[in-house]
Amino acid sequence: MTSTTDGAIDISGDGGILKKILVEAPEGAEGPPASGFVVTAHYTGTLEDGTKFDSSVDRGQPFKFTIGKGQVIKGWDEGFATMKVGEKAMLTIRSDYGYGDSGSPPKIPPKATLNFEVELLGFEEKQKEKWQMITEERIAMAEKLKAEGTVLFKSGSYTEAAAKYEKAANFAVGEGLEGNKIPEEERALFVSCCNN
């Protein structure tokens, strides 16, 4: 990675993704996130002329995506892979790392260079789907969700608690099992989740 005269770092090596740190991450901050992790971020996207085309900040809703899996433009996959939690940066992304020759009409014109003010709020390893888990992982997840439900219940958040208990009950048993087909070692946890 090389630096430009304005202090931006050329993270793509060809000038396609420039990153200028606006706010350093706090000392000891986690990061950068590895490929396959779920990233939570805020962003404001503008065209080169300053026209804003999108902003999670304006919506008050952080954006989540799995890094390195092509769910977002290449400039984001590579840009966020250099950040730490709490860091704010300006990513200047050339069209070949953004929306390409076509753009994304009507807001992003063809061959547009984009500026994104971004903040990495957090990241976590993507949770396995139930069908990907072995029995011990499923049971551990069910117990974790049940404990979270109990905390919510004790705080008076009954609707959220009920949702956690229902999810816990789902993880407590294997795929397609119900009634007397539920193995004895899984049945007690399943019943306790259902009765909460």
Side-chain angles (χ1 to χ4, degrees):
M1 290 189 266
T2 58
S3 293
T4 63
T5 55
D6 69 348
I9 302 165
D10 179 359
I11 59 176
S12 60
D14 64 1
I17 308 167
L18 301 177
K19 174 185 160 187
K20 184 174 184 179
I21 297 174
L22 305 175
V23 176
E24 293 276 349
E27 185 70 32
E30 285 187 275
S35 182
F37 277 57
V38 177
V39 167
T40 303
H42 262 313
Y43 68 91
T44 298
T46 58
L47 302 175
E48 285 184 292
D49 67 4
T51 304
K52 186 188 308 183
F53 60 84
D54 195 12
S55 175
S56 67
V57 176
D58 290 352
R59 287 191 302 276
Q61 184 70 34
F63 183 73
K64 290 187 174 194
F65 67 97
T66 304
I67 198 164
K69 299 299 179 188
Q71 294 179 349
V72 292
I73 59 175
K74 188 174 182 180
W76 271 32
D77 267 340
E78 293 188 22
F80 277 99
T82 68
M83 296 180 71
K84 292 186 174 187
V85 174
E87 179 180 322
K88 289 184 182 181
M90 179 62 72
L91 297 177
T92 301
I93 300 173
R94 200 172 60 207
S95 65
D96 52 326
Y97 287 90
Y99 291 95
D101 291 344
S102 304
S104 184
K107 294 186 176 186
I108 301 173
K111 299 182 180 180
T113 293
L114 307 173
N115 294 307
F116 287 96
E117 185 173 321
V118 296
E119 179 181 8
L120 181 57
L121 301 173
F123 63 90
E124 61 189 9
E125 192 168 3
K126 186 173 179 169
Q127 180 183 316
K128 288 181 181 179
E129 298 293 329
K130 178 182 171 183
W131 61 268
Q132 295 172 312
M133 295 179 174
I134 61 172
T135 301
E136 291 78 13
E137 291 172 321
R138 263 191 320 92
I139 297 300
M141 178 59 72
E143 289 171 344
K144 176 181 175 282
L145 291 167
K146 182 181 176 207
E148 291 172 4
T150 300
V151 169
L152 289 166
F153 182 83
K154 288 180 180 178
S155 71
S157 300
Y158 304 119
T159 303
E160 292 90 346
K164 287 283 186 184
Y165 289 137
E166 185 176 338
K167 195 170 181 181
N170 180 45
F171 275 94
V173 296
E175 292 289 327
L177 298 178
E178 56 185 45
N180 290 333
K181 293 182 181 178
I182 298 172
E184 195 64 42
E185 63 273 9
E186 298 175 18
R187 193 173 302 155
L189 178 59
F190 174 75
V191 170
S192 72
C193 292
C194 290
N195 287 338
N196 281 322

